[in-house]
Amino acid sequence: MGRYDIARKIEGMDPERDAIAICHLLAGYEFPWDITRALEVALLRTFCVPSIAKLLDHTGEFQHHTQKRYDDTGIIVSELFKWGYEHPRGQGFLQRMNAIHGRFPITNSDYLYVLSTFIYEPVRWCDRFGWRPLSKPEKQAMYYFWFAVGERMGITEIPDSYDRFEHYNQTYEQAHFTYAAANQRVADATRSMLLGWFPVGLRSLANTAIPALLDAPLLNALGWQPAPAPLTQLLRQSLQMRSRLLRKLPPRTLPDFFADQSIRSYPQGYNLSDIGPTSFKQAIGSNKQTYSDAAKKQP
């Protein structure tokens, strides 16, 4: 396979009709690492909205079960990218997410904003740091994919085009990004979790570097200080060097979905009923198969 074979394959697909297949290729083959990083930025952006952060802060999940909350979100998104929202497996995880969210008073506008971050943060990240930018059909496919997910979540008034939804994303941030103590508490808990992934000797440097790729409105809303300019420049240059290197490598032939990897909260694998707050005992579906193990055996 040539480096751009998958990109050329996607160019021949229909962004709306083939949205599931296109997003499967993007998340599993073309940009697995990049999309995961972009969704981490998306998570931080949701903390900048006090109505969202206060709810997360109230549940205590981000303070007491930070890694599990992160992993559960990653698993659900990954299962959807891998299987799609029409496959029984994807439907199971989507239903689980709906059941968890249904316990809390979440406004439609907040749902819409969170949904929009799943589209536009991966697009922006790949445009900045991916080994190639996303094409227009790929961007449209991301929109149609998450539009369909949003409908299945019961979200209403989803803007009817990629551009209109991006405008919603931007104007919502301008209107709602503001500092609140709850924002900082859930963000600080997430930051501590991220630091725990690094060896002890590197944690101080990592702590300084975490804000390097984050914009000023986000940092202000979280109460975080920006990274030193030289470190920011170094990190950006490193990511750009990575993208140039990846362009010279052969394409991925095996998928690398988040759900296929070793997951910190579930070293022995997970069941659908494991997903969600520890106090949430309702199971959706009766299949007790260890899903992450099964996923490694599937295309």
Side-chain angles (χ1 to χ4, degrees), residues 125-187:
W125 180 283
C126 290
D127 282 352
R128 292 177 68 195
F129 303 120
W131 66 270
R132 63 173 178 84
L134 294 185
S135 66
K136 183 176 180 179
E138 289 168 339
K139 293 176 181 180
Q140 292 288 337
M142 291 284 283
Y143 163 79
Y144 286 119
F145 181 94
W146 287 110
F147 184 99
V149 171
E151 286 189 320
R152 287 160 174 78
M153 293 174 64
I155 301 174
T156 61
E157 301 177 13
I158 304 174
D160 62 1
S161 74
Y162 178 95
D163 292 336
R164 290 192 180 96
F165 205 5
E166 184 175 29
H167 178 71
Y168 178 91
N169 171 271
Q170 294 167 340
T171 56
Y172 188 92
E173 290 188 355
Q174 293 168 4
H176 293 86
F177 272 27
T178 186
Y179 176 79
N183 301 10
Q184 188 163 6
R185 281 194 294 269
V186 293

Side-chain angles (χ1 to χ4, degrees), residues 29 82-83 89 255 257 260 289 293-299:
Y29 292 84
K82 182 165 186 173
W83 297 97
R89 183 185 178 100
F257 291 96
D260 295 340
Q289 184 180 26
D293 288 344
K296 296 174 184 177
K297 301 175 184 177
Q298 300 293 334

Side-chain angles (χ1 to χ4, degrees), residues 6-298:
I6 292 177
R8 281 191 285 269
K9 177 180 180 180
I10 291 173
E11 286 291 338
M13 301 167 77
D14 182 270
E16 183 172 10
R17 185 186 63 245
D18 301 321
I20 293 174
I22 292 172
C23 289
H24 175 94
L25 292 170
L26 295 177
Y29 292 84
E30 293 284 85
F31 304 101
W33 186 86
D34 298 275
I35 287 178
T36 298
R37 302 288 81 76
L39 292 175
E40 290 167 357
V41 175
L43 183 67
L44 291 175
R45 300 196 84 82
T46 66
F47 300 160
C48 296
V49 180
S51 57
I52 297 174
K54 287 175 182 176
L55 178 59
L56 296 172
D57 186 52
H58 176 73
T59 68
E61 286 298 308
F62 270 95
Q63 285 85 346
H64 305 298
H65 309 287
T66 315
Q67 185 67 59
K68 176 173 166 53
R69 179 65 172 76
Y70 170 90
D71 288 338
D72 287 354
T73 301
I75 287 168
I76 291 171
V77 172
S78 179
E79 293 280 354
L80 285 171
F81 273 141
K82 182 165 186 173
W83 297 97
Y85 39 78
E86 295 176 346
H87 188 281
R89 183 185 178 100
Q91 290 176 353
F93 280 90
L94 183 53
Q95 290 165 5
R96 183 71 176 181
M97 178 176 65
N98 287 342
I100 295 166
H101 287 166
R103 304 167 67 223
F104 304 105
I106 304 171
T107 66
N108 190 69
S109 60
D110 284 349
Y111 268 128
L112 273 173
Y113 173 66
V114 174
L115 187 71
S116 74
T117 66
F118 290 165
I119 302 168
Y120 301 105
E121 290 311 309
V123 167
R124 291 163 186 160
W125 180 283
C126 290
D127 282 352
R128 292 177 68 195
F129 303 120
W131 66 270
R132 63 173 178 84
L134 294 185
S135 66
K136 183 176 180 179
E138 289 168 339
K139 293 176 181 180
Q140 292 288 337
M142 291 284 283
Y143 163 79
Y144 286 119
F145 181 94
W146 287 110
F147 184 99
V149 171
E151 286 189 320
R152 287 160 174 78
M153 293 174 64
I155 301 174
T156 61
E157 301 177 13
I158 304 174
D160 62 1
S161 74
Y162 178 95
D163 292 336
R164 290 192 180 96
F165 205 5
E166 184 175 29
H167 178 71
Y168 178 91
N169 171 271
Q170 294 167 340
T171 56
Y172 188 92
E173 290 188 355
Q174 293 168 4
H176 293 86
F177 272 27
T178 186
Y179 176 79
N183 301 10
Q184 188 163 6
R185 281 194 294 269
V186 293
D188 285 350
T190 303
R191 188 171 183 168
S192 295
M193 177 203 71
L194 295 173
L195 293 176
W197 299 354
F198 293 87
V200 174
L202 294 178
R203 287 180 188 173
S204 178
L205 177 61
N207 187 47
T208 305
I210 282 175
L213 302 177
L214 307 178
D215 56 85
L218 186 153
L219 294 173
N220 292 337
L222 299 183
W224 286 4
Q225 296 299 311
L231 184 58
T232 298
Q233 184 66 16
L234 177 63
L235 186 55
R236 289 176 179 172
Q237 289 175 346
S238 298
L239 288 170
Q240 289 162 357
M241 288 177 60
R242 170 184 174 271
S243 69
R244 289 193 292 269
L245 174 62
L246 288 177
R247 285 186 208 117
K248 301 179 184 299
L249 298 179
R252 182 180 296 279
T253 58
L254 295 175
D256 188 28
F257 291 96
F258 178 85
D260 295 340
Q261 302 167 9
S262 177
I263 297 176
R264 290 174 174 84
S265 299
Y266 306 104
Q268 305 303 317
Y270 56 86
N271 295 314
L272 181 59
S273 59
D274 294 324
I275 305 303
T278 54
S279 60
F280 185 60
K281 300 298 183 182
Q282 179 185 1
I284 296 176
S286 58
N287 187 353
K288 298 302 181 182
Q289 184 180 26
T290 302
Y291 283 160
S292 58
D293 288 344
K296 296 174 184 177
K297 301 175 184 177
Q298 300 293 334

